[in-house]
Amino acid sequence: MSFYIASSPHAHQRRTTSDLMRIVALAMIPGIIAQWYFFGWGVMLQIILAVATAYAAEALCLQARERSSIQGLRDNTALVTALLLAVSIPPLAPWWVIVIGVAFSIVVVKHLYGGVGQNLFNPAMAGYVVLLISFPVQMTSWLPPVDLTGNNISLFESIHLMLFQYTSQGYSVEQMRMVDTGALFDAVVMATPLDHIRSDLSQGLTLSESLQAPIFGGIAGLGWQWVNLAYLAGGLILLQQKVIQWHIPVSILVALAVFAGLGSAIAPDTLPGLDIHLLSGATMIGAFFIATDPVSAATSNRGRLIYGVLIALLIYVIRSFGGYPDAVAFAVLLANLCVPIIDKYTKPVTYGHGKGRSKTAGGGH
Amino acid sequence: MSDNIAATDSLADSTAEGTTDTTPSTGRWGEYTDLTRNGLWDNNPALVQLLGLCPLLAVTGTVTNALGLGIATMLVLIGSNVTVSLVRNFVPSEIRIPVFVMVIATFVTLIELFMHAFTYGLFMALGIFIPLIVTNCAIIGRAEAYASKNPWQLSAYDGFIMGLGFTLVLVLLGAMREIIGQGTLFDGAQLLLGEWATSLRIELFAVDYPMLLAILPPGAFLGMGFIIAAKNWIDQRREQQRKQAPAQKAQRARVTSQ
């Protein structure tokens, strides 16, 4: 019989990275199902392609770095990276988009920085930003939710669209994005709610006029609100399982709510309100799944709160005044850059080593 | 003379591991061999000294731009090295830096006017980065570290080979970015070489959508990182092979003795 000798805390559940990452992946299932329901088979296809690419890239990198492939592949971090990137990109984006993105995430962002636990940036978000910068057209071609277009794209057509960007009848992705408005035009290309608000505001419309569009059927955009609520549910599971701490998601959501509340109080006609900010775009998946990445996030509790507020501030500023409609990826990456300095100034003081006391006491403890 | 080199290059050598343990060659041409090795590999201005990164990263979107700026830099480097070397005994050391800057600025102005006259398209494409050659640290670095202490023939060769090393890295980076970004090589070569060069354009593969990342500034940083990593990897392998070489000899001796 052997005893496991460890430092305190002694009463804890020993969980491996592999277990944690598996729970994170499982907790994404509600969100993925919601996305599949509203945006069709494309989501599933992207996930399959992403996971396959991620494991292939991971295996090649581990081989090249002369590490144990089995050990590395089992820790499920590549799986989570692949899932996060796959659900972040438009469901009908061409197949090579996700392959390039995931390969970049795994090879450059993760392994060139030293592999699991060493990466400075969140791999999925760095991959996303690479894609967004490189292929702006493909990366903004989001489909409107199915109940708006009325055309339910079958699995076969989804594959066809991903491979060739045309259906077997010859309709392009652009045509699949058309929504019949019955108004002045026969049909318009529909964007995401955040995209829509942005382009309307730039054309001089007020916010309340913009919210009349068919995509704002519910609180914060048809489909999107449910996707966000599903990720919120998944995030609550993560909290309940104690996979993540409450600090980062709560500080992001509270700070974003405060900023959005202030903004809409000051300029109700140009700055979207609390509901839009919290339930549209990638807010929930960002707060619970992306920003909480244990490697690239701040490590102390106080640091996590600061990190969360910083992300919320960046999300709000970029969404409202920046060049892109959604900003979770940029906000997380910029906050990742600040983590070393946040960690330096929020390092908890060891018990008995009060501020300044350690200097005078001279190590007498 | 070899002592002189070791002293003058010590500034840059502190960053370059390769040069510290290579013994300087002797003889009449030894100096030139050392300069060649330093400029192209061991002490390459772009890969080892990491000088002049601003133009290196900014204009390497295509091979043509890279080649144009590389040649311009090389010409300035040769001119400034020769001039600085010729006046080195008349310049008080207290004001040598302003004098060097004036010399360099003169040559940059010359090059700029030449490019304005003969390669107008390229002049427009490179824009502010031609006048900015003045601020390229590689040039003043060579003036200070080498030309101000050596005769003009050697300084001219040093300027040429350092410029060549810089140009090669620029062209390599430009080629990487152009191929990944838009699948071509020598796109717009007529801007630099005249109308006949239009046929130089090679389309390696057709892309519907350019990989904008490679063409935009982040691509330059990433590409540069990969080139430096590749150089360090090659150096490391050579080092290992050199260490292993004597051991192999001993082994062979034992085999034959059996």
Side-chain angles (χ1 to χ4, degrees), chain A residues 96 104 108 112 130 133-136 138, chain B residues 209-214 216 218 222 226:
Chain A
W96 42 266
F104 188 90
V108 177
L112 288 190
V130 163
I133 289 174
S134 297
F135 313 110
Q138 287 79 3
Chain B
Y209 305 100
M211 174 95 185
L212 287 176
L213 180 80
L216 293 171
L222 283 168
F226 278 113

PDB file of all heavy atoms in Angstrom, chain A residues 96 104 108 112 130 133-136 138, chain B residues 209-214 216 218 222 226:
ATOM      1  N   TRP A  96     -11.817  24.645 -45.672  1.00  0.00           N
ATOM      2  CA  TRP A  96     -10.423  24.961 -45.397  1.00  0.00           C
ATOM      3  C   TRP A  96     -10.277  26.046 -44.354  1.00  0.00           C
ATOM      4  O   TRP A  96      -9.227  26.200 -43.739  1.00  0.00           O
ATOM      5  CB  TRP A  96      -9.675  25.329 -46.673  1.00  0.00           C
ATOM      6  CG  TRP A  96     -10.435  26.217 -47.620  1.00  0.00           C
ATOM      7  CD1 TRP A  96     -11.194  25.811 -48.680  1.00  0.00           C
ATOM      8  CD2 TRP A  96     -10.531  27.636 -47.587  1.00  0.00           C
ATOM      9  NE1 TRP A  96     -11.747  26.892 -49.309  1.00  0.00           N
ATOM     10  CE2 TRP A  96     -11.352  28.027 -48.672  1.00  0.00           C
ATOM     11  CE3 TRP A  96     -10.001  28.625 -46.758  1.00  0.00           C
ATOM     12  CZ2 TRP A  96     -11.658  29.357 -48.924  1.00  0.00           C
ATOM     13  CZ3 TRP A  96     -10.302  29.947 -47.019  1.00  0.00           C
ATOM     14  CH2 TRP A  96     -11.118  30.304 -48.089  1.00  0.00           C
ATOM     15  N   PHE A 104      -3.535  26.386 -37.032  1.00  0.00           N
ATOM     16  CA  PHE A 104      -2.783  27.517 -36.476  1.00  0.00           C
ATOM     17  C   PHE A 104      -2.867  27.519 -34.952  1.00  0.00           C
ATOM     18  O   PHE A 104      -1.865  27.697 -34.251  1.00  0.00           O
ATOM     19  CB  PHE A 104      -3.331  28.828 -37.041  1.00  0.00           C
ATOM     20  CG  PHE A 104      -2.505  30.026 -36.677  1.00  0.00           C
ATOM     21  CD1 PHE A 104      -1.461  30.424 -37.491  1.00  0.00           C
ATOM     22  CD2 PHE A 104      -2.757  30.749 -35.520  1.00  0.00           C
ATOM     23  CE1 PHE A 104      -0.689  31.526 -37.156  1.00  0.00           C
ATOM     24  CE2 PHE A 104      -1.990  31.836 -35.182  1.00  0.00           C
ATOM     25  CZ  PHE A 104      -0.952  32.232 -35.999  1.00  0.00           C
ATOM     26  N   VAL A 108       0.891  26.757 -33.911  1.00  0.00           N
ATOM     27  CA  VAL A 108       1.610  27.998 -33.606  1.00  0.00           C
ATOM     28  C   VAL A 108       1.306  28.482 -32.190  1.00  0.00           C
ATOM     29  O   VAL A 108       2.207  28.727 -31.396  1.00  0.00           O
ATOM     30  CB  VAL A 108       1.264  29.090 -34.643  1.00  0.00           C
ATOM     31  CG1 VAL A 108       1.950  30.387 -34.288  1.00  0.00           C
ATOM     32  CG2 VAL A 108       1.678  28.635 -36.024  1.00  0.00           C
ATOM     33  N   LEU A 112       4.184  25.908 -30.376  1.00  0.00           N
ATOM     34  CA  LEU A 112       5.402  26.715 -30.506  1.00  0.00           C
ATOM     35  C   LEU A 112       5.705  27.472 -29.219  1.00  0.00           C
ATOM     36  O   LEU A 112       6.833  27.860 -28.960  1.00  0.00           O
ATOM     37  CB  LEU A 112       5.301  27.686 -31.678  1.00  0.00           C
ATOM     38  CG  LEU A 112       5.377  27.054 -33.065  1.00  0.00           C
ATOM     39  CD1 LEU A 112       5.501  28.121 -34.126  1.00  0.00           C
ATOM     40  CD2 LEU A 112       6.536  26.092 -33.165  1.00  0.00           C
ATOM     41  N   VAL A 130      -6.947  35.019 -36.363  1.00  0.00           N
ATOM     42  CA  VAL A 130      -6.214  34.788 -37.616  1.00  0.00           C
ATOM     43  C   VAL A 130      -7.203  34.620 -38.765  1.00  0.00           C
ATOM     44  O   VAL A 130      -7.047  35.219 -39.835  1.00  0.00           O
ATOM     45  CB  VAL A 130      -5.313  33.542 -37.487  1.00  0.00           C
ATOM     46  CG1 VAL A 130      -4.883  33.041 -38.847  1.00  0.00           C
ATOM     47  CG2 VAL A 130      -4.097  33.875 -36.653  1.00  0.00           C
ATOM     48  N   ILE A 133      -9.080  37.936 -39.614  1.00  0.00           N
ATOM     49  CA  ILE A 133      -8.244  38.899 -40.330  1.00  0.00           C
ATOM     50  C   ILE A 133      -7.973  38.405 -41.749  1.00  0.00           C
ATOM     51  O   ILE A 133      -7.967  39.180 -42.695  1.00  0.00           O
ATOM     52  CB  ILE A 133      -6.930  39.124 -39.557  1.00  0.00           C
ATOM     53  CG1 ILE A 133      -7.212  39.907 -38.293  1.00  0.00           C
ATOM     54  CG2 ILE A 133      -5.916  39.852 -40.415  1.00  0.00           C
ATOM     55  CD1 ILE A 133      -6.038  40.058 -37.395  1.00  0.00           C
ATOM     56  N   SER A 134      -7.772  37.091 -41.895  1.00  0.00           N
ATOM     57  CA  SER A 134      -7.381  36.576 -43.204  1.00  0.00           C
ATOM     58  C   SER A 134      -8.564  36.459 -44.163  1.00  0.00           C
ATOM     59  O   SER A 134      -8.426  36.733 -45.344  1.00  0.00           O
ATOM     60  CB  SER A 134      -6.740  35.194 -43.059  1.00  0.00           C
ATOM     61  OG  SER A 134      -5.576  35.284 -42.310  1.00  0.00           O
ATOM     62  N   PHE A 135      -9.694  35.995 -43.656  1.00  0.00           N
ATOM     63  CA  PHE A 135     -10.834  35.727 -44.545  1.00  0.00           C
ATOM     64  C   PHE A 135     -12.084  36.447 -44.038  1.00  0.00           C
ATOM     65  O   PHE A 135     -13.038  35.801 -43.596  1.00  0.00           O
ATOM     66  CB  PHE A 135     -11.091  34.217 -44.610  1.00  0.00           C
ATOM     67  CG  PHE A 135      -9.855  33.406 -44.838  1.00  0.00           C
ATOM     68  CD1 PHE A 135      -9.342  32.620 -43.828  1.00  0.00           C
ATOM     69  CD2 PHE A 135      -9.187  33.465 -46.047  1.00  0.00           C
ATOM     70  CE1 PHE A 135      -8.187  31.882 -44.026  1.00  0.00           C
ATOM     71  CE2 PHE A 135      -8.038  32.730 -46.250  1.00  0.00           C
ATOM     72  CZ  PHE A 135      -7.532  31.943 -45.236  1.00  0.00           C
ATOM     73  N   PRO A 136     -12.096  37.768 -44.129  1.00  0.00           N
ATOM     74  CA  PRO A 136     -13.227  38.511 -43.546  1.00  0.00           C
ATOM     75  C   PRO A 136     -14.567  38.145 -44.164  1.00  0.00           C
ATOM     76  O   PRO A 136     -15.571  38.116 -43.459  1.00  0.00           O
ATOM     77  CB  PRO A 136     -12.861  39.977 -43.810  1.00  0.00           C
ATOM     78  CG  PRO A 136     -11.764  39.964 -44.805  1.00  0.00           C
ATOM     79  CD  PRO A 136     -11.082  38.654 -44.707  1.00  0.00           C
ATOM     80  N   GLN A 138     -15.641  35.179 -45.568  1.00  0.00           N
ATOM     81  CA  GLN A 138     -16.133  33.880 -45.096  1.00  0.00           C
ATOM     82  C   GLN A 138     -16.485  33.934 -43.609  1.00  0.00           C
ATOM     83  O   GLN A 138     -17.418  33.276 -43.163  1.00  0.00           O
ATOM     84  CB  GLN A 138     -15.071  32.800 -45.305  1.00  0.00           C
ATOM     85  CG  GLN A 138     -14.869  32.383 -46.732  1.00  0.00           C
ATOM     86  CD  GLN A 138     -14.029  33.366 -47.506  1.00  0.00           C
ATOM     87  OE1 GLN A 138     -13.540  34.353 -46.965  1.00  0.00           O
ATOM     88  NE2 GLN A 138     -13.863  33.113 -48.794  1.00  0.00           N
TER      89      GLN A 138
ATOM     90  N   TYR B 209      -9.366  33.548 -52.561  1.00  0.00           N
ATOM     91  CA  TYR B 209      -9.318  34.512 -51.475  1.00  0.00           C
ATOM     92  C   TYR B 209      -7.894  34.587 -50.964  1.00  0.00           C
ATOM     93  O   TYR B 209      -7.338  33.579 -50.548  1.00  0.00           O
ATOM     94  CB  TYR B 209     -10.249  34.077 -50.342  1.00  0.00           C
ATOM     95  CG  TYR B 209     -11.647  33.844 -50.824  1.00  0.00           C
ATOM     96  CD1 TYR B 209     -12.098  32.554 -51.073  1.00  0.00           C
ATOM     97  CD2 TYR B 209     -12.500  34.913 -51.055  1.00  0.00           C
ATOM     98  CE1 TYR B 209     -13.376  32.342 -51.544  1.00  0.00           C
ATOM     99  CE2 TYR B 209     -13.780  34.695 -51.522  1.00  0.00           C
ATOM    100  CZ  TYR B 209     -14.211  33.417 -51.762  1.00  0.00           C
ATOM    101  OH  TYR B 209     -15.474  33.210 -52.224  1.00  0.00           O
ATOM    102  N   PRO B 210      -7.280  35.757 -51.019  1.00  0.00           N
ATOM    103  CA  PRO B 210      -5.912  35.850 -50.509  1.00  0.00           C
ATOM    104  C   PRO B 210      -5.891  35.604 -48.997  1.00  0.00           C
ATOM    105  O   PRO B 210      -6.839  35.937 -48.291  1.00  0.00           O
ATOM    106  CB  PRO B 210      -5.520  37.296 -50.822  1.00  0.00           C
ATOM    107  CG  PRO B 210      -6.802  38.028 -50.965  1.00  0.00           C
ATOM    108  CD  PRO B 210      -7.790  37.046 -51.476  1.00  0.00           C
ATOM    109  N   MET B 211      -4.805  34.994 -48.544  1.00  0.00           N
ATOM    110  CA  MET B 211      -4.631  34.800 -47.100  1.00  0.00           C
ATOM    111  C   MET B 211      -4.094  36.127 -46.569  1.00  0.00           C
ATOM    112  O   MET B 211      -2.894  36.385 -46.576  1.00  0.00           O
ATOM    113  CB  MET B 211      -3.626  33.668 -46.878  1.00  0.00           C
ATOM    114  CG  MET B 211      -3.225  33.449 -45.441  1.00  0.00           C
ATOM    115  SD  MET B 211      -4.187  32.194 -44.647  1.00  0.00           S
ATOM    116  CE  MET B 211      -3.560  32.316 -42.965  1.00  0.00           C
ATOM    117  N   LEU B 212      -5.033  36.984 -46.151  1.00  0.00           N
ATOM    118  CA  LEU B 212      -4.645  38.357 -45.826  1.00  0.00           C
ATOM    119  C   LEU B 212      -3.640  38.427 -44.690  1.00  0.00           C
ATOM    120  O   LEU B 212      -2.830  39.341 -44.620  1.00  0.00           O
ATOM    121  CB  LEU B 212      -5.889  39.170 -45.454  1.00  0.00           C
ATOM    122  CG  LEU B 212      -6.782  39.527 -46.634  1.00  0.00           C
ATOM    123  CD1 LEU B 212      -8.020  40.240 -46.151  1.00  0.00           C
ATOM    124  CD2 LEU B 212      -6.027  40.416 -47.602  1.00  0.00           C
ATOM    125  N   LEU B 213      -3.679  37.440 -43.812  1.00  0.00           N
ATOM    126  CA  LEU B 213      -2.778  37.478 -42.653  1.00  0.00           C
ATOM    127  C   LEU B 213      -1.328  37.585 -43.098  1.00  0.00           C
ATOM    128  O   LEU B 213      -0.540  38.325 -42.520  1.00  0.00           O
ATOM    129  CB  LEU B 213      -2.950  36.218 -41.808  1.00  0.00           C
ATOM    130  CG  LEU B 213      -2.043  36.174 -40.584  1.00  0.00           C
ATOM    131  CD1 LEU B 213      -2.618  37.011 -39.475  1.00  0.00           C
ATOM    132  CD2 LEU B 213      -1.817  34.763 -40.119  1.00  0.00           C
ATOM    133  N   ALA B 214      -0.967  36.839 -44.144  1.00  0.00           N
ATOM    134  CA  ALA B 214       0.428  36.841 -44.585  1.00  0.00           C
ATOM    135  C   ALA B 214       0.822  38.188 -45.162  1.00  0.00           C
ATOM    136  O   ALA B 214       1.965  38.618 -45.044  1.00  0.00           O
ATOM    137  CB  ALA B 214       0.648  35.744 -45.619  1.00  0.00           C
ATOM    138  N   LEU B 216      -0.655  41.165 -44.401  1.00  0.00           N
ATOM    139  CA  LEU B 216      -0.726  42.208 -43.383  1.00  0.00           C
ATOM    140  C   LEU B 216       0.468  42.095 -42.420  1.00  0.00           C
ATOM    141  O   LEU B 216       1.125  41.058 -42.368  1.00  0.00           O
ATOM    142  CB  LEU B 216      -2.048  42.080 -42.618  1.00  0.00           C
ATOM    143  CG  LEU B 216      -3.301  42.393 -43.441  1.00  0.00           C
ATOM    144  CD1 LEU B 216      -4.546  42.023 -42.677  1.00  0.00           C
ATOM    145  CD2 LEU B 216      -3.310  43.857 -43.825  1.00  0.00           C
ATOM    146  N   PRO B 218       1.000  41.328 -39.291  1.00  0.00           N
ATOM    147  CA  PRO B 218       1.237  40.154 -38.442  1.00  0.00           C
ATOM    148  C   PRO B 218       1.977  39.044 -39.176  1.00  0.00           C
ATOM    149  O   PRO B 218       2.792  38.340 -38.584  1.00  0.00           O
ATOM    150  CB  PRO B 218      -0.175  39.684 -38.058  1.00  0.00           C
ATOM    151  CG  PRO B 218      -1.064  40.813 -38.310  1.00  0.00           C
ATOM    152  CD  PRO B 218      -0.428  41.709 -39.297  1.00  0.00           C
ATOM    153  N   LEU B 222       5.241  36.933 -37.919  1.00  0.00           N
ATOM    154  CA  LEU B 222       5.244  35.472 -37.849  1.00  0.00           C
ATOM    155  C   LEU B 222       6.330  34.894 -38.744  1.00  0.00           C
ATOM    156  O   LEU B 222       7.116  34.039 -38.321  1.00  0.00           O
ATOM    157  CB  LEU B 222       3.876  34.931 -38.286  1.00  0.00           C
ATOM    158  CG  LEU B 222       2.758  35.034 -37.260  1.00  0.00           C
ATOM    159  CD1 LEU B 222       1.428  34.743 -37.906  1.00  0.00           C
ATOM    160  CD2 LEU B 222       3.004  34.066 -36.125  1.00  0.00           C
ATOM    161  N   PHE B 226       9.677  32.636 -37.830  1.00  0.00           N
ATOM    162  CA  PHE B 226       9.981  31.313 -38.372  1.00  0.00           C
ATOM    163  C   PHE B 226      11.373  31.286 -39.002  1.00  0.00           C
ATOM    164  O   PHE B 226      12.109  30.303 -38.855  1.00  0.00           O
ATOM    165  CB  PHE B 226       8.921  30.897 -39.399  1.00  0.00           C
ATOM    166  CG  PHE B 226       7.690  30.332 -38.771  1.00  0.00           C
ATOM    167  CD1 PHE B 226       6.482  30.995 -38.841  1.00  0.00           C
ATOM    168  CD2 PHE B 226       7.756  29.129 -38.087  1.00  0.00           C
ATOM    169  CE1 PHE B 226       5.351  30.474 -38.241  1.00  0.00           C
ATOM    170  CE2 PHE B 226       6.628  28.605 -37.490  1.00  0.00           C
ATOM    171  CZ  PHE B 226       5.424  29.277 -37.561  1.00  0.00           C
TER     172      PHE B 226
END
